[in-house]
Amino acid sequence: MKKLTIFSIILFAVLSAILLAIIFYPGHASGMIYDIEEYKLLKRAGQGDVSAQCSLGRHYERPSADFFEIGVLGGAVKKPNYQQALIWYRKAAEQGNSYAQYRLGEFYEKGTAVKKDIKQAILWFGKSAACGSDFAQIRLVKLHIEAINANNIRQDDWFRQGAAEGYAVCQYQLALCYKYGQGVKKDYKEAARWFRQGADNGDYDCQYELGRCYAQGEGVSRDLAQAVFWYREAAEQGHADAQKALKAMGK
């Protein structure tokens, strides 16, 4: 009983000290909690936890916005550590995390904590886009177009490279080049071929366009069953025009 009483007194004293620290020294208290959470993440990340690695990347890149920042206690905001952010984003990216791949692409695009390298930016945006990131697809197209304009490269040549590497967003853009005759002779058959490759890679824009090809007989033999199939594939991913096309066909 006496031991229990002594333990209770010690516990009360410790909790009281923490409470006083929070009231009179909020900065130190928040820093303690902050560092404890950081330690927990580091331990998990070091064991290969992709989620923890990605969270550490965010934590070091934007500590003031981090989910465990105890800003309400008045603690001093830690400064970003971009080198550490780069390290942990890379670890998560190499394990296939789409968000980390996207952030790594941005680091290379802007030259943050690493030498600016547009080719590396395109590589990582491409990996993220392949995992389904719409933001990465947008950035990838933007970089491609900027490179085309800056280096006077033909659109089809630039997109062909990415399309051959299996990037659906490039396959879609290359198909559009053939569909509308942008930089190349208009060729519906070639457009349909690239729409098909992008559709097989799960790109819903390609799936919708391939559906249109079959519905209208552009570059392929007209086949309404195939049109419905590809419209449905795109519609299930939320493609509004594909959903409208199915409704118009009574499907």
Side-chain angles (χ1 to χ4, degrees), residues 56 62 70 79 111 119 121 146 191 201 223 225 245:
L56 271 177
R62 292 176 291 182
I70 316 299
K79 294 181 179 180
K119 287 185 177 179
E146 286 178 354
N201 279 334
D223 188 329

Side-chain angles (χ1 to χ4, degrees), residues 22-47:
I22 290 174
I23 295 173
F24 296 105
Y25 303 98
H28 295 290
S30 64
M32 287 168 57
I33 298 172
Y34 193 99
D35 291 338
I36 290 171
E37 294 298 335
E38 183 178 347
Y39 169 77
K40 289 179 180 177
L41 275 181
L42 280 167
K43 185 176 180 180
R44 287 168 47 208
Q47 294 171 344

Side-chain angles (χ1 to χ4, degrees), residues 67-145:
F67 70 93
F68 55 70
E69 170 68 287
I70 316 299
V72 293
L73 296 178
V77 175
K78 289 191 174 184
K79 294 181 179 180
N81 186 332
Y82 295 117
Q83 287 288 351
Q84 282 296 313
L86 178 68
I87 288 171
W88 291 108
Y89 277 144
R90 188 184 300 281
K91 288 181 181 294
E94 288 174 348
Q95 292 200 68
N97 183 278
S98 178
Y99 178 80
Q101 291 168 341
Y102 177 78
R103 298 301 303 140
L104 193 56
E106 284 204 324
F107 272 45
Y108 275 111
E109 181 187 4
K110 298 175 182 178
T112 303
V114 69
K115 184 178 179 181
K116 186 174 181 178
D117 189 331
I118 298 302
K119 287 185 177 179
Q120 281 294 310
I122 288 174
L123 170 68
W124 289 107
F125 282 142
K127 288 180 181 292
S128 181
C131 289
S133 170
D134 291 335
F135 291 111
Q137 290 199 26
I138 292 170
R139 295 297 281 272
L140 191 59
V141 171
K142 174 178 173 288
L143 287 180
H144 279 311
I145 292 174

Side-chain angles (χ1 to χ4, degrees), residues 5 7 15 34 42 75 77 121 125 130 155 160 165 207 225 237:
T5 303
F7 175 77
L15 291 174
Y34 193 99
L42 280 167
V77 175
F125 282 142
Q155 289 189 47
R160 194 184 308 281
E165 292 173 4
Q207 290 168 346
Q237 293 195 67

Side-chain angles (χ1 to χ4, degrees), residues 1-12:
M1 184 70 179
K2 184 179 288 187
K3 288 183 178 179
L4 182 61
T5 303
I6 293 173
F7 175 77
S8 300
I9 292 172
I10 293 173
L11 180 62
F12 177 76

Side-chain angles (χ1 to χ4, degrees), residues 162-177:
E165 292 173 4
Y167 295 132
V169 64
C170 293
Q171 291 166 342
Y172 174 69
Q173 292 295 326
L174 182 58
L176 291 180
C177 287

Side-chain angles (χ1 to χ4, degrees), residues 144 147-149 151-161 174 177-178 182-185:
H144 279 311
I148 289 167
N149 293 335
N151 300 295
N152 195 29
I153 302 171
R154 281 176 47 178
Q155 289 189 47
D156 61 303
D157 286 341
W158 186 266
F159 289 127
R160 194 184 308 281
Q161 179 181 345
L174 182 58
C177 287
Y178 281 108
Q182 296 174 340
V184 293
K185 184 179 179 180

